[in-house]
Amino acid sequence: MLKKILLITGILLTGLLVYVGVLWIKNVWPIEDTSLKNEGIGKLTIRMDESHIRHYYPEFAIANEDEGNIYYFDDKDSFIVTTDAKTKKIVCMELRDKIDGQNFTTKKGLGIGSSFADVKLEYGTNYRKKSTEIYGDMVEFQDSNTNQKIGFGIDYANDTVTVVVLYDYDKYKFPY
């Protein structure tokens, strides 16, 4: 009887470890590159000097932090731009919500409310699916030539983009 219990426990534990391993591999396994050269949101791009933020969008508010400055348009829940403290360059952009009077989209014209089909049409199918604590279900594209990733939060039930995140993964560790 004890042998059967140990065997069943071993099988269940092995199954659990395999499941956790598969989930981990899906998040770190290399994906084919998607070109993100010159990609940005609105008039801003990764590695652009932070002075351009105020030039293009004087409405941005600023919050100083140890790792760099955080600029946000309208409020902290709409469009956020993070810069590196040392280089003063843009390292991350998060488009979280539509903003009245503004048409913030990627260079390929995608933004909040775009369809997942449009994302695949513009960026292809070389993406990694992620389930995140902050934004829920996401698809992430990577360009190892520019060290950039772009993620789209997807509401699969409504086939819409809920968030767009673009960042330099060498300079900024995005806390999905």
Side-chain angles (χ1 to χ4, degrees):
M1 183 69 166
L2 181 61
K3 288 182 181 181
K4 285 184 181 180
I5 292 173
L6 290 175
L7 179 63
I8 291 172
T9 304
I11 290 171
L12 290 174
L13 185 59
T14 302
L16 177 66
L17 290 174
V18 167
Y19 175 74
V20 169
V22 167
L23 288 180
W24 178 78
I25 292 240
K26 282 175 56 178
N27 282 330
V28 298
W29 196 261
I31 54 175
E32 286 188 44
D33 280 348
T34 298
S35 178
L36 299 175
K37 186 177 180 181
N38 301 319
E39 187 58 82
I41 297 176
K43 296 178 182 175
L44 304 176
T45 61
I46 297 296
R47 291 185 203 84
M48 183 180 273
D49 189 82
E50 75 180 345
S51 65
H52 288 90
I53 299 169
R54 289 267 190 221
H55 173 75
Y56 290 124
Y57 304 108
E59 307 93 338
F60 266 89
I62 185 171
N64 294 322
E65 299 208 353
D66 292 338
E67 298 86 31
N69 292 326
I70 296 177
Y71 294 83
Y72 53 93
F73 195 97
D74 197 31
D75 63 37
K76 289 186 179 182
D77 292 324
S78 55
F79 183 31
I80 302 166
V81 179
T82 305
T83 61
D84 183 74
K86 293 176 187 169
T87 64
K88 304 294 186 201
K89 304 284 185 194
I90 295 173
V91 292
C92 181
M93 292 181 271
E94 297 173 70
L95 181 58
R96 295 179 175 183
D97 202 0
K98 284 189 175 188
I99 301 169
D100 292 336
Q102 294 292 328
N103 186 24
F104 288 121
T105 62
T106 66
K107 300 297 181 194
K108 295 184 179 186
L110 300 176
I112 307 300
S114 295
S115 73
F116 182 43
D118 288 339
V119 171
K120 291 189 286 187
L121 180 68
E122 292 296 330
Y123 291 92
T125 57
N126 296 324
Y127 57 83
R128 175 182 298 120
K129 285 186 175 183
K130 292 182 152 250
S131 181
T132 68
E133 289 184 32
I134 299 173
Y135 299 123
D137 293 326
M138 294 194 75
V139 294
E140 182 181 70
F141 299 86
Q142 177 177 314
D143 185 341
S144 59
N145 295 320
T146 63
N147 298 326
Q148 294 180 77
K149 290 183 180 182
I150 189 167
F152 295 92
I154 305 292
D155 176 354
Y156 289 111
N158 295 314
D159 188 44
T160 58
V161 171
T162 58
V163 67
V164 180
V165 177
L166 176 64
Y167 65 102
D168 179 333
Y169 61 83
D170 266 356
K171 304 282 183 192
Y172 188 78
K173 302 301 177 210
F174 194 79
Y176 282 121

